[in-house]
Amino acid sequence: MLSLNQIRWGLTSRLEDPPHKQWSEQAQAAIVILWGLLIYPQLDKDIKKQWNAKDYIELSKFHDLFQAYSGDQTTETLLELLTEYDYVRLDEKNHIRSGTQLFSAVHALGMYRFFRSSVIARQLFQTMQKTSSSS
């Protein structure tokens, strides 16, 4: 498992003072992970095909995945924060989808390069598959 610092290191912003700049390491790492799971596959079709990536994460998978990174925050508190600032949206089927801030506050080119040049994308999708098979 990657450390919080390894994950949040890749977080680059398009805005001068994005909301997440003052957030905890856990919340910043969550943005990177969610960007990698929800946005990156849209930009890299090979990843989308290889890992059968969807444009959403099931709520239960979110809790499974982020429990290890939530630290002092509960996964519910983390989800509330991300939803309040529109980094993610929760639909009626309990699917977590990307929100406006995940597109607008995060620098896509910087994040794309980070994911493309590291093993983080592969590790995230492997983790998602493990949580899927263990549910």
Side-chain angles (χ1 to χ4, degrees):
M1 182 176 344
L2 295 170
S3 73
L4 288 176
N5 281 332
Q6 288 173 307
I7 294 171
R8 65 185 278 269
W9 176 83
L11 184 57
T12 58
S13 300
R14 291 181 41 185
L15 307 175
E16 190 172 309
D17 194 24
H20 62 259
K21 189 175 183 179
Q22 303 301 320
W23 292 359
S24 69
E25 290 179 345
Q26 292 85 1
Q28 289 180 16
I31 293 169
V32 173
I33 292 168
L34 289 165
W35 193 94
L37 292 172
L38 298 172
I39 307 293
Y40 182 64
Q42 295 177 38
L43 303 174
D44 190 327
K45 301 301 180 190
D46 292 335
I47 288 289
K48 185 173 186 164
K49 184 178 178 181
Q50 179 182 357
W51 295 103
N52 194 24
K54 298 179 174 36
D55 61 348
Y56 66 87
I57 300 169
E58 294 175 15
L59 182 59
S60 61
K61 302 300 179 243
F62 175 87
H63 290 297
D64 291 344
L65 183 62
F66 289 99
Q67 195 163 15
Y69 291 108
S70 61
D72 294 338
Q73 295 177 304
T74 65
T75 55
E76 286 295 328
T77 303
L78 179 60
L79 182 59
E80 287 172 11
L81 178 67
L82 294 167
T83 303
E84 178 183 348
Y85 285 90
D86 199 30
Y87 282 85
V88 296
R89 297 175 181 173
L90 187 62
D91 70 17
E92 66 280 348
K93 294 181 180 179
N94 282 332
H95 292 162
I96 296 172
R97 298 181 183 275
S98 54
T100 304
Q101 289 287 64
L102 206 54
F103 286 102
S104 63
V106 176
H107 191 279
L109 181 58
M111 290 289 280
Y112 180 85
R113 286 179 179 156
F114 172 70
F115 274 86
R116 191 73 177 163
S117 66
S118 72
V119 297
I120 191 169
R122 184 171 38 108
Q123 289 176 331
L124 284 174
F125 288 108
Q126 286 173 341
T127 301
M128 287 298 289
Q129 284 185 338
K130 286 178 188 173
T131 60
S132 293
S133 62
S134 64
S135 296

